[in-house]
Amino acid sequence: MKDVAAYLSVPVQTIYDWRWKHEGPPAYRIGRHLRFRESDVFAWLDSKTAA
């Protein structure tokens, strides 16, 4: 979570907010933790910047 927030230059809370609103990169719950695939984060970012 912290790595994704740092890469996107946003607070960790923003990642949680995006997840709540179904707006951020896809995440997977493993136990109590959220995990992100690097390729999913890059694809999500590309979809937001491609215009």
Side-chain angles (χ1 to χ4, degrees), residues 11-36:
V12 172
Q13 185 59 48
T14 299
I15 303 293
Y16 284 114
D17 293 343
W18 285 344
R19 183 162 166 79
W20 177 256
K21 297 175 184 177
H22 304 284
E23 294 177 359
Y28 305 91
R29 185 168 295 284
I30 299 176
R32 295 174 50 193
H33 305 280
L34 291 177
R35 299 291 182 233
F36 296 85

